[in-house]
Amino acid sequence: MEAVKRALDKISVERIKLELLGNAYNSSSTVLGRLDPRTLLIWYLFFAIVPWFMHNRTILLGMFILMAVCTVLARASTFIIFILCLGLITQVGWMFLLSLFFGGGGESVLPMLTLTLKLSVISLASITVFSSLDPERLSDGLSALGVPDAFAFSLSYGYRILPTLLEEFHQILLSFRLRGLRPQKNGMLYWRTAAYYLRIIVLVFYPLMLNTAKRSRTTVEALETRGYNYAVNNPQVKKLKLSYLSLKPRDWMFAGVTALYLIALFTLGTAFPELIY
Amino acid sequence: MANNILELRGVSFTYPGAETPVLQDVSLSLTEGDFVAVIGGNGSGKSTLCKTFNGLIPHYYTGEFAGEVILHGKSTEGKTVSQLSRHIGYVYQDFENQLVRPTVLDDACFTPLNYGLADYRQRGERALELTGLTGKRHDFIWQLSGGQKHLLALAGALAMDPDILVIDEPISQLDPQHARHIYDILRSLNERLGKTIVVIEHHTEFIAEYCRSVVLMDGGRLRWQRPVHEALSAVAELLPLGIYPPDVTRAAWMLRPGAPAGTLYPLSCEEAEGSFARRGATETAQRIERAGVHLTELRTERREEHETGLREDHQGGHVAEHGVKGAGEQAVGHGSKGAGEQAAERRVLRNPNHSTAAAAAGEQEPVVHMDKAGLAYRTIHKTLQPVLSEVSLTLNAGERVALVGNNGAGKSSLMKLIAGIAQPTAGTVTVKGITVNGQPPERLAGTAAYVFQNPEDMFIDDSVRGEVSYYLKARHREDRAETVERMLAAFRLEELAERDARLLSGGQQRRVSLAIGAAMAPAVMLLDEPTANLDISTKQEMIGVLHTLRSHVETVVIATHDMALVAEWATRVIVMHEGRIIADGSKEEVFADALLLRRAGLTETQLMKLSRSLGLPQICGSLEEFTSQVSWQEDVKLEHKEEGVALSGSR
C-alpha cells in the first residue's frame, strides 16, 4: 500500500498536464511529424478500416510490423504504449479466462490472437498518427479534407482549454478537500479513503461545469469581436489559413513506400496465408 | 483641431426582460487620440457603455436600443460586430477567456487571419513587438503569467491596428509594477501611434497619471465628461459614488473645508509639492522642501522623531527597543547607497522572531512556526525549481500579518505551506502544535484556513448558505445552523444566502469566501490578495470585514500588493523577495525603509511618499492620520491652482 501511495504522490495534476500537453504539441520534430497532415490522415484512414476486413494472418502480421516501425518513428510516449499493452493484455486475458470457464482450452487462444493483431494494428496506427499530428495540424488537416470549420476549430480550442480545465479541476478538488473530512480510518484495503476520493472526484464536475459555462460567455462574445463569424466558411480565409500546407516529395515517398510494402505483403499473404499458424 | 472619432447620440439600452434601462440617453464624443477613463460605481453601466462602441450592443445583446452610434462620422446602424471590430479592439476584464489559440503567435494572428488579411503574420508579429512579447511568440498560452496573458489579449486586439482600444479594467489582477508596465504600453500606443484609448478603471492614481479625460457614469446616465484634473478634483461628488480620488487629492480636499466647487486639487505627490506642511513645524518643513537637498538634516530629525514615535505608540506587541534599532539602522542606511545596501543585508540576517511579543512574553505557544522551511517544484525538464528557501518564521495569536512582495516572491507558496496545501521539501512547518509535513490538507482544515485569490475557486455548492455550511456539515456539528446564521450575519450575506455564489458581484463573492473561512473557526486564516479585483469602495468595505474576522480567528495573514491595505490594517509586515524573507517588523519600520521597499518591488502609496517627504514622525496609514498632522499652505496652493487651470486648459 505504501508503494501505491508513493506512486500516487508522483502523479500530480501539474505533471499530468505537462505530460499530456507536451505529448500533444511536441510532434514536429519526428520524421512522421514533418509530413503533411492530409497524407497522415488518409494513411490512417486506410489502416483504421482495412484490418477489420482482413482474415489473412500473414497480412495482419505484416501490417503489425509496419505499424510497430512507424510507432517507433513517431516516438510515441512510452506511457501511451504501456496503456495500450495493458489494455490488450487484460482484454485477451479476460476473454481467455471466460473461454476456460465455458469449457474451452488452449485452442481458443489462436482466434483471439487474430483479433488482438487487428486491434493492435489499428491502435498503433492511431498512436502513430496522433502523436505525429499536434492538435493544430490535425485541425487544419481535417479542415483541408473538407470537415466543417466549426468542428476543426472546436478541436483545436478543446486542446487550448484543456490545461485550464485541468487546473480548475485540481483547484476545486482542493477546495473540497480543504473543507471536507477524510475518513478517520482507512478501512480494509483503504476502501473508506478510496470511496471518499471517488465521491469528491464526481462532485467536482458539477462546479466545474458551472464555471465553464460562465467562462464561455466571454469566449463566445470575444470570438465575435475577433471576427470569428466573419471567417467561418469564408473560402478566402480558409485558403489563407491552409496555405502553409503542401505535399512535398517526402509525402509522396512515404505514400510510395507504404504502397510498395502493402503490394509485397498482399502478394506474400495470398501465397502463404498460414505462414505463422 | 482634433476630430471626433466616435460619437454616441442619445443612446439608451434595456436588456431583455429588465425593468430599468442600463443606459439612459447617453451622449458622448471621443476625440481622436484621447486617453479616456470611464468611471462609475458598480452597475453604473460602464461596461455596457463600452459595448455599444463596437456594436456588441445592440447586435450581440439584443434588447431595446435607441439612439445612434457614429464611428468616423458615419452611422454604425446596420453594421455587424465583425465589421465594427476592425476599428475597435476590445480587451475584456476576464481576458484569459478571450485567448482561443494554443500559442502566443497564433493568438496574436487570429483576428487578422479571420478577416482574411494576407499579412496576418506580420500583423501578429508587430502586435507582439508592441506589447513586448516577441520573445515568447512560440510559447503556449498556459505557460504565460497573468500579466503576460493580459498583454497577449492586448496584442490580439492590436493586430487589427484598430483606431480605438477599449480595455475593461486593465490592471485589476496585476501587481503595481506590472500595472505600470501595462499603462506605459497604453501610453506609448496613445502617444506614438495616436490610438484612442478607453479604459474602464477604478484606480484613480493611474487615471491621474495616464488619462486625459474622464467620463463619469452614474445609474446608466452620463453625468459628465471632463478633463482629468477637473474630474478628479470633484472629490465631494465622487466619494458618494464610491470613487476615491487619489490620496493627495482627498487630503487636500479634507484640509480645505468650504473651498468652492470647481477648485482644483493636486493629483500627484509631484503636483502637491509645497502644498502641505507639517503642522507645528511649518518652518522646518518649508525650508527643507524648498532647498530639497537638506536631506541629512531631515534624516537626523526624522530618526529622532521616529524613535520617540515608536516609543510612544508602538502597537500590537512589537518590542520598542528593537524598533528603535531598526529605525537607527535605516537612518544610517539612507546616508549613501552602499551603506543602504548593507542595511538591507543586515535585515536579512536579523532573526525575525526577536521582534515579536511572544518572544518577550516567552510562554505563549505560537500559532505557526516554520523552521528553515523550503519548497521546490519539479519542472517539465525534471529539475527542481526552488520557490521558498530557508524560511523561518513564528506567528503569534492576535497578530495581523501582511506578507508583501512582488509576483513570484513566494507569498502564496508560504501560505500554502502553512495551510498544508503544499508539502515543504525542506525544514518543518508547525501549526498549533501539528506538524504539517506529510499531513493531508483535510487534517489541517479547522486549524489553518486558506482563502484563495479567486473566490470562485472555492465555490463547491450551489448556494451561499451551502458554501458556508459545507465544512460544518461534513463534521456533523450540532450547532451548525446557528453558526452559519451567525456567519451570514457577520458578513452581511443573509439576503444572498440562497443565491449561487458564482453569480454574485466581486465584492459579494469575496465576502462569501471570507465567511467560508471564518465558519471553520481556524486558528490562522490565510488570505491571498483579498482586495484584488475589487473596486475601491468595496475595498474600503473589505477592511471593515477584515476587522470582523479578527473576532473569529487568532491570527490573520494576508498576502497582498496593496500597500494602502497594509498601512491601514497590518500590525506586522513580512517582506518577501525571491523566496526569502528579507524583512520582518512593524509597518512603521518597514515603510520607513524606502530602499527595502524598492528592492522588494513594492510601490509606496502617495501617503507614504508625502509622509516621508514632509518628514512626519511616522509613515501615515490613513488619510485621517495624515490630515491631522499636516496643514494646507494657502499661498503655494494659489500658484498651483493657476498652473492646474493652465494645464487642464491646454488639454
Side-chain angles (χ1 to χ4, degrees):
Chain A
M1 231 51 230
E2 274 307 300
V4 174
K5 217 173 177 179
R6 242 177 296 131
L8 279 175
D9 278 347
K10 281 200 180 124
I11 308 176
S12 69
V13 171
E14 196 60 21
R15 198 86 186 271
I16 296 176
K17 195 177 99 182
L18 291 176
E19 280 278 318
L20 205 71
L21 295 166
N23 230 323
Y25 285 98
N26 193 13
S27 56
S28 50
S29 54
T30 61
V31 182
L32 294 180
R34 279 193 287 266
L35 292 174
D36 190 282
R38 288 167 294 181
T39 317
L40 280 170
L41 284 170
I42 293 169
W43 183 87
Y44 173 59
L45 215 60
F46 179 83
F47 286 101
I49 295 171
V50 173
W52 291 111
F53 305 104
M54 283 288 147
H55 302 286
N56 186 318
R57 288 188 285 269
T58 309
I59 296 181
L60 281 176
L61 190 73
M63 282 182 167
F64 177 78
I65 292 167
L66 177 67
M67 288 307 122
V69 171
C70 286
T71 312
V72 172
L73 282 179
R75 279 196 233 140
S77 101
T78 40
F79 177 64
I80 290 179
I81 294 172
F82 169 74
I83 291 197
L84 170 79
C85 293
L86 198 74
L88 286 174
I89 290 168
T90 46
Q91 169 95 356
V92 175
W94 273 113
M95 280 204 252
F96 182 63
L97 280 181
L98 270 178
S99 77
L100 284 183
F101 185 73
F102 287 108
E107 71 276 11
S108 56
V109 173
L110 281 181
M112 273 193 288
L113 209 61
T114 315
L115 178 69
T116 310
L117 260 182
K118 284 185 188 184
L119 288 177
S120 325
V121 169
I122 295 159
S123 314
L124 286 177
S126 313
I127 292 179
T128 304
V129 167
F130 293 108
S131 345
S132 307
L133 279 177
D134 65 38
E136 286 315 293
R137 295 190 334 122
L138 173 62
S139 141
D140 288 347
L142 286 174
S143 177
L145 291 176
V147 170
D149 284 355
F151 178 80
F153 176 77
S154 319
L155 194 93
S156 85
Y157 180 70
Y159 266 94
R160 140 84 186 99
I161 207 74
L162 203 64
T164 316
L165 287 179
L166 268 171
E167 251 162 51
E168 201 163 284
F169 179 87
H170 181 50
Q171 190 71 47
I172 299 171
L173 187 71
L174 190 60
S175 287
F176 269 103
R177 295 188 63 192
L178 281 174
R179 281 189 270 160
L181 183 66
R182 215 161 96 128
Q184 296 296 323
K185 293 193 190 100
N186 285 322
M188 201 189 296
L189 286 175
Y190 280 77
W191 79 269
R192 279 174 197 277
T193 313
Y196 166 75
Y197 278 116
L198 287 177
R199 182 171 169 270
I200 55 175
I201 283 173
V202 173
L203 286 175
V204 166
F205 280 93
Y206 171 65
L208 189 67
M209 275 189 282
L210 290 179
N211 288 354
T212 308
K214 193 177 167 195
R215 195 182 11 250
S216 57
R217 289 195 307 199
T218 306
T219 306
V220 175
E221 202 180 304
L223 279 177
E224 195 78 21
T225 67
R226 302 191 69 185
Y228 174 73
N229 278 336
Y230 188 87
V232 134
N233 298 325
N234 180 338
Q236 208 63 37
V237 174
K238 189 166 166 176
K239 217 168 117 190
L240 188 66
K241 189 178 173 197
L242 301 177
S243 60
Y244 80 97
L245 295 179
S246 65
L247 292 174
K248 298 207 176 71
R250 68 164 86 95
D251 290 297
W252 296 114
M253 222 153 81
F254 178 70
V257 169
T258 311
L260 282 179
Y261 182 85
L262 286 177
I263 291 168
L265 184 64
F266 275 86
T267 330
L268 184 76
T270 4
F272 308 98
E274 297 191 359
L275 194 65
I276 39 170
Y277 56 85
Chain B
M1 154 197 87
N3 298 321
N4 281 353
I5 192 162
L6 185 90
E7 242 184 294
L8 263 61
R9 286 191 194 148
V11 170
S12 299
F13 183 72
T14 314
Y15 280 110
E19 294 280 311
T20 46
V22 259
L23 290 180
Q24 290 183 57
D25 196 22
V26 174
S27 296
L28 162 89
S29 55
L30 299 182
T31 39
E32 203 169 343
D34 204 354
F35 198 141
V36 190
V38 179
I39 59 174
N42 283 336
S44 57
K46 299 178 302 252
S47 296
T48 314
L49 175 74
C50 293
K51 283 178 184 174
T52 59
F53 297 172
N54 60 358
L56 278 171
I57 287 173
H59 295 297
Y60 182 80
Y61 293 102
T62 45
E64 247 174 80
F65 183 86
E68 201 178 11
V69 179
I70 292 154
L71 180 68
H72 284 301
K74 285 183 206 127
S75 170
T76 60
E77 210 185 322
K79 289 200 177 148
T80 62
V81 179
S82 301
Q83 282 169 318
L84 294 172
S85 293
R86 295 187 96 142
H87 307 285
I88 301 173
Y90 203 104
V91 180
Y92 286 83
Q93 194 180 353
D94 48 343
F95 51 84
E96 204 176 332
N97 300 327
Q98 84 183 86
L99 308 175
V100 292
R101 304 288 292 157
T103 65
V104 170
L105 183 58
D106 262 353
D107 199 80
C109 300
F110 182 69
T111 317
L113 177 61
N114 278 335
Y115 285 104
L117 303 174
D119 59 343
Y120 68 95
R121 203 155 273 275
Q122 289 90 304
R123 281 168 176 267
E125 294 270 11
R126 193 176 129 75
L128 291 181
E129 205 182 297
L130 287 172
T131 49
L133 284 176
T134 307
K136 299 257 168 209
R137 62 153 137 7
H138 295 300
D139 282 15
F140 291 112
I141 304 261
W142 49 88
Q143 295 174 320
L144 301 181
S145 70
Q148 289 166 342
K149 282 179 188 164
H150 195 274
L151 288 173
L152 179 57
L154 185 62
L158 275 175
M160 283 307 289
D161 199 16
D163 309 313
I164 304 175
L165 266 174
V166 181
I167 302 121
D168 196 342
E169 307 217 6
I171 57 170
S172 64
Q173 300 186 28
L174 304 178
D175 65 297
Q177 281 182 327
H178 289 97
R180 196 153 281 281
H181 182 58
I182 285 267
Y183 263 105
D184 285 336
I185 288 176
L186 291 180
R187 175 183 272 166
S188 89
L189 290 174
N190 176 256
E191 286 176 357
R192 279 184 29 236
L193 304 177
K195 307 270 179 226
T196 308
I197 293 181
V198 180
V199 290
I200 300 176
E201 185 59 86
H202 300 303
H203 298 82
T204 48
E205 285 184 27
F206 280 93
I207 297 179
E209 191 175 342
Y210 291 93
C211 299
R212 298 219 181 92
S213 67
V214 177
V215 168
L216 174 65
M217 294 295 293
D218 177 28
R221 290 178 186 278
L222 183 134
R223 185 159 322 171
W224 41 249
Q225 182 179 10
R226 290 180 186 165
V228 69
H229 207 144
E230 281 171 45
L232 293 179
S233 294
V235 183
E237 195 181 350
L238 293 175
L239 284 181
L241 297 174
I243 300 157
Y244 291 76
D247 285 343
V248 174
T249 320
R250 271 188 295 155
W253 174 76
M254 281 166 79
L255 290 170
R256 303 190 57 213
T263 311
L264 294 180
Y265 299 108
L267 299 183
S268 67
C269 295
E270 290 70 36
E271 278 177 48
E273 207 168 312
S275 304
F276 296 111
R278 257 179 81 182
R279 219 163 259 188
T282 322
E283 301 294 315
T284 344
Q286 262 183 341
R287 191 191 69 221
I288 289 162
E289 269 154 35
R290 290 218 187 97
V293 285
H294 293 212
L295 284 170
T296 334
E297 289 164 53
L298 171 65
R299 231 171 273 126
T300 327
E301 189 184 67
R302 234 177 70 213
R303 178 175 58 184
E304 283 158 10
E305 266 152 28
H306 199 135
E307 286 175 15
T308 37
L310 277 172
R311 272 206 197 96
E312 276 157 20
D313 54 31
H314 74 270
Q315 5 169 328
H318 287 276
V319 178
E321 193 192 311
H322 194 83
V324 173
K325 192 178 146 230
E329 275 175 12
Q330 291 142 25
V332 176
H334 283 292
S336 71
K337 205 186 164 212
E341 273 164 4
Q342 275 171 18
E345 287 306 318
R346 223 172 302 152
R347 289 185 147 268
V348 185
L349 299 174
R350 196 169 92 201
N351 185 349
N353 300 344
H354 285 179
S355 64
T356 58
E363 301 315 312
Q364 196 192 352
E365 186 199 23
V367 178
V368 176
H369 182 77
M370 299 178 93
D371 187 23
K372 292 198 175 142
L375 181 65
Y377 286 116
R378 201 171 289 278
T379 63
I380 192 167
H381 309 296
K382 316 236 155 144
T383 52
L384 281 175
Q385 173 78 31
V387 268
L388 288 177
S389 23
E390 303 224 348
V391 173
S392 294
L393 179 69
T394 306
L395 303 178
N396 299 291
E399 282 182 324
R400 300 196 297 270
V401 184
L403 270 180
V404 295
N406 52 4
N407 282 358
K411 304 188 298 283
S412 299
S413 304
L414 179 68
M415 299 210 302
K416 282 180 176 161
L417 278 188
I418 299 175
I421 294 172
Q423 299 293 339
T425 41
T428 54
V429 180
T430 320
V431 182
K432 277 295 205 181
I434 307 170
T435 308
V436 175
N437 307 37
Q439 295 278 348
E442 285 94 339
R443 292 273 182 273
L444 277 163
T447 318
Y450 185 89
V451 175
F452 291 100
Q453 176 172 1
N454 179 7
E456 291 194 26
D457 288 340
M458 297 181 71
F459 298 156
I460 54 181
D461 209 293
D462 58 1
S463 71
V464 171
R465 189 186 300 278
E467 302 288 356
V468 178
S469 60
Y470 187 89
Y471 169 84
L472 302 165
K473 224 156 96 187
R475 279 160 187 71
H476 306 288
R477 291 279 168 80
E478 296 288 323
D479 58 343
R480 65 169 181 264
E482 199 185 301
T483 313
V484 171
E485 285 314 315
R486 219 177 52 238
M487 288 304 151
L488 291 177
F491 294 93
R492 296 190 295 104
L493 294 166
E494 294 115 317
E495 309 231 315
L496 307 169
E498 307 311 324
R499 299 263 305 271
D500 189 323
R502 290 169 196 86
L503 303 176
L504 302 178
S505 75
Q508 292 167 336
Q509 285 190 342
R510 190 68 65 175
R511 290 211 305 270
V512 176
S513 70
L514 292 178
I516 292 171
M520 295 159 71
V524 54
M525 182 119 151
L526 307 147
L527 310 176
D528 201 348
E529 298 283 351
T531 55
N533 291 338
L534 295 183
D535 61 42
I536 310 294
S537 61
T538 321
K539 210 181 254 183
Q540 294 288 336
E541 183 194 313
M542 198 47 61
I543 292 173
V545 177
L546 288 175
H547 285 295
T548 314
L549 210 54
R550 257 164 71 200
S551 53
H552 299 287
V553 297
E554 288 178 34
T555 309
V556 181
V557 182
I558 285 182
T560 187
H561 311 116
D562 187 345
M563 285 317 204
L565 173 72
V566 178
E568 226 167 300
W569 173 85
T571 58
R572 178 173 170 191
V573 184
I574 296 173
V575 187
M576 297 200 63
H577 184 58
E578 291 173 356
R580 288 170 192 276
I581 293 179
I582 58 166
D584 181 356
S586 70
K587 63 184 170 200
E588 289 80 8
E589 281 180 81
V590 170
F591 285 176
D593 193 341
L595 198 81
L596 173 77
L597 293 177
R598 220 170 312 137
R599 182 159 165 233
L602 302 167
T603 34
E604 299 182 281
T605 62
Q606 289 187 336
L607 280 186
M608 286 159 72
K609 271 190 210 159
L610 281 178
S611 309
R612 197 187 304 284
S613 68
L614 290 175
L616 297 182
Q618 84 268 355
I619 304 291
C620 296
S622 69
L623 270 177
E624 288 68 27
E625 195 184 346
F626 180 73
T627 49
S628 71
Q629 294 185 22
V630 297
S631 61
W632 183 256
Q633 282 186 295
E634 285 298 327
D635 50 340
V636 190
K637 173 224 76 190
L638 279 175
E639 281 168 38
H640 267 260
K641 187 179 171 188
E642 278 153 26
E643 207 176 286
V645 174
L647 215 63
S648 69
S650 71
R651 277 175 185 177

